[in-house]
């Protein structure tokens, strides 16, 4: 979910997807990708990436150049995706549902409860300008300061003060929650719902959790 | 190095006062202005009219380091290395700054590096040769936000444990609840506090005259900077008492018991 003008890297339930602007010049794409990965490669290190470039087909030479560039940043190109396989805003809801139907029932239950899955532990305070994106749950042992953001496909738990932006269930999971010892976010998002902290700030001083109830984002004590 | 992210919070004033304070305590000090293209430190120090060579002349080999140093007449052991005014930040590279800092380290007890605002090349140059960092902020949400970002960048560049100076605090406003107080700021930034400097009109006067406030013993801000200087030298000094005397109305109200 980090992007530049023509390149975007997103974490999905099935791994990383690299979106390449089909209309952009190949050289431009490589330049942006190189710079972008240089900035965030640590975070993705060792991951498999699948690419999506709309209807654009690249020559074997170009694909080789791309593979080498990804390898330089410790990423593995594992295949190409067609339009029906990727998350495109707008048609997302539909494809999510289709996929839901195809998943065996026991797996679906785990998914719905949001109680299992991969988790990322972050052992520091996130200062302004930092961004954490993860396909799974995120637990932060520190504060999330104003100007920092956390985006997770699962739940977000902050063992400190959440004052920045948090987006749980980023791929549309409405059962996801955000909790913090001190919940005072600049903005809070779960799945497709967005809310701001009330003006009177501060909160209750108690640990709180935000979740979706009756199609609304609510905050309550734990 | 002295840095802040946001402009106008008092990096240059702080650099000038820390440098002067340390020099008056007997240390051999060099002030380095890295704000190439927008140099100010020479003006604040009142040394503008003595500049012949600048930092770019030194790093590009136009002159020797000794030739570019301006000796402050008021203090035996205070020197300034001014920034260039007609070039921009790309005129110096981080590698050159590292080499320069190594050279300065041989010669001086303290090198105070005045960092430009922003997080681009100028900032990267300034941090390249620094061992320790002082972050300046004011009690404003925007300045604290930028300070937070800067602290993150310092930590990412191995400059651990930066120290914080809160500048231009107005005790009266804090008391009324109209300004962030020290604990609000420390809550977010969570780094060690080096000192608190009150808003003081005498800073404007001393800056315009080119005489750092730290030399003026009647200035409140000057007193705050003297305390900060002593803390940098390793002394334990209590924070300045910033309590403002109650106004006439307050005293009257207390007298008739409505408080």
């Amino acid at each position: 979910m980090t992007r530049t003008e023509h390149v975007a890297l997103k974490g999905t339930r099935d791994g990383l997807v690299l979106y390449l602007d089909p209309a952009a010049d190949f050289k431009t794409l490589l330049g942006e990708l190189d710079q972008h990965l240089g900035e965030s490669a640590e975070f993705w290190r060792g991951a498999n990436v699948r690419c999506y470039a709309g209807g654009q087909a690249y020559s074997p030479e170009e694909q080789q150049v791309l593979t080498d560039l990804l390898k330089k940043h410790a990423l593995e190109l594992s295949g190409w995706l067609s339009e029906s396989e990727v998350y495109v805003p707008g048609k997302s809801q539909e494809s999510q549902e289709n996929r839901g139907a195809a998943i065996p029932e026991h797996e679906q239950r785990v998914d719905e409860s949001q109680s299992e899955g991969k988790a990322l532990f972050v052992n520091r305070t996130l200062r302004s300008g930092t961004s954490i994106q993860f396909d799974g749950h995120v637990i932060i042992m520190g504060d999330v300061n104003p100007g920092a953001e956390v985006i997770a496909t699962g739940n977000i738990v902050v063992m400190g003060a959440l004052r920045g932006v948090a987006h749980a269930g980023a791929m549309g999971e409405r059962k996801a929650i955000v909790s913090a010892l001190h919940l005072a976010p600049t903005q809070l998002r779960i799945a497709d719902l967005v809310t701001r902290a009330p003006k009177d700030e501060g909160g209750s001083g108690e640990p709180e959790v935000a979740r979706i109830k009756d199609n609304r984002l609510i905050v309550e004590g734990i | 190095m002295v840095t802040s992210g946001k402009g106008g919070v008092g990096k240059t004033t702080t650099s000038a006062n820390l440098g002067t304070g340390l020099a008056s305590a007997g240390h051999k000090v060099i002030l380095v202005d890295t704000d190439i293209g927008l140099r100010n430190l020479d003006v604040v120090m009142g040394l503008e009219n003595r500049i012949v060579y600048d930092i770019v002349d030194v790093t590009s080999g136009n002159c020797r380091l000794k030739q570019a140093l301006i000796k402050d007449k008021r203090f035996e052991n205070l020197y300034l290395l001014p920034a260039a005014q007609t070039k921009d930040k790309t005129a110096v590279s981080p590698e050159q700054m590292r080499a320069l800092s190594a050279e300065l380290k041989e010669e001086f007890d303290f090198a105070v590096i005045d960092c430009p605002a922003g997080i681009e090349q100028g900032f990267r140059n300034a941090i390249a040769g620094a061992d320790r960092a002082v972050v300046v902020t004011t009690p404003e949400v925007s300045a604290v936000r930028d300070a937070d970002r800067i602290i993150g960048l310092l930590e990412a560049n191995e400059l651990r444990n930066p120290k914080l100076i809160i500048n231009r605090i107005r005790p009266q406003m804090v008391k009324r609840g109209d300004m962030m107080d020290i604990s609000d700021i420390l809550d977010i930034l969570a780094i060690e506090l080096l000192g608190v400097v009150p808003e003081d009109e005498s800073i404007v006067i001393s800056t315009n005259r080119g005489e750092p406030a730290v030399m003026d013993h009647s200035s409140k801000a000057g007193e705050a900077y003297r305390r900060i200087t002593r803390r940098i030298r390793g002394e334990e000094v209590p924070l300045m008492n910033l309590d403002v005397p109650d106004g006439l109305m307050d005293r009257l109200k207390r007298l008739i018991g409505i408080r």
Side-chain angles (χ1 to χ4, degrees), chain B residues 33-59:
Chain B
D33 189 350
T34 61
D35 202 350
I36 299 168
L38 291 168
R39 75 171 173 215
N40 284 155
L41 189 53
D42 52 322
V43 182
V44 172
M45 292 299 294
L47 300 171
E48 187 184 11
N49 53 11
R50 294 180 40 204
I51 297 175
V52 181
Y53 295 110
D54 56 50
I55 191 166
V56 176
D57 291 320
V58 175
T59 53

Side-chain angles (χ1 to χ4, degrees), chain B residues 119-137:
Chain B
I119 55 175
E120 293 83 16
Q121 169 122 27
F123 173 74
R124 287 196 286 274
N125 284 342
I127 60 173
D131 298 326
R132 292 200 274 169
V134 172
V135 176
V136 183
T137 189

Side-chain angles (χ1 to χ4, degrees), chain A residues 20-155:
Chain A
L20 302 171
D21 184 348
D25 169 56
F26 190 67
K27 267 231 168 74
T28 316
L29 286 179
L30 286 182
E32 280 188 25
L33 185 62
D34 191 26
Q35 190 193 355
H36 186 52
L37 289 176
E39 285 162 8
S40 58
E42 268 313 304
F43 181 56
W44 307 112
R45 187 162 283 279
N48 282 320
V49 184
R50 289 178 301 165
C51 285
Y52 171 68
Q56 175 74 290
Y58 296 110
S59 69
E61 290 78 30
E62 286 174 327
Q63 293 199 24
Q64 189 54 44
V65 174
L66 189 64
T67 309
D68 291 343
L69 177 60
L70 289 170
K71 197 161 271 166
K72 185 180 129 196
H73 294 286
L75 291 168
E76 194 75 38
L77 179 62
S78 62
W80 289 82
L81 293 170
S82 62
E83 193 177 345
S84 62
E85 293 171 289
V86 295
Y87 173 91
V88 177
K91 66 156 222 172
S92 60
Q93 234 43 31
E94 180 196 337
S95 69
Q96 287 281 319
E97 276 162 29
N98 286 346
R99 193 153 28 150
I103 295 172
E105 204 188 324
H106 65 280
E107 260 185 56
Q108 206 174 358
R109 200 172 37 211
V110 168
D111 217 48
E112 268 179 20
S113 67
Q114 282 289 297
S115 59
E116 276 185 30
K118 279 189 297 174
L120 174 73
F121 276 84
V122 180
N123 247 322
R124 61 192 166 96
T125 285
L126 298 187
R127 294 187 181 278
S128 181
T130 38
S131 171
I132 295 275
Q133 295 130 12
F134 187 69
D135 181 17
H137 309 301
V138 176
I139 296 102
I140 292 159
M141 316 289 277
D143 298 340
V144 177
N145 281 354
E149 62 175 17
V150 184
I151 298 170
T153 56
N155 301 329

Side-chain angles (χ1 to χ4, degrees), chain B residues 136-153:
Chain B
V136 183
T137 189
T138 56
E140 287 162 73
V141 176
S142 53
V144 172
R145 184 75 49 92
D146 292 358
D148 191 41
R149 178 89 218 261
I150 283 290
I151 294 165
L153 291 173

Side-chain angles (χ1 to χ4, degrees), chain B residues 203-220:
Chain B
I203 285 282
V204 180
I205 302 166
S206 68
T207 302
N208 290 345
R209 279 205 196 129
E211 293 166 359
V214 76
M215 292 151 65
D216 176 359
H217 281 260
S218 64
S219 158
K220 276 202 127 180

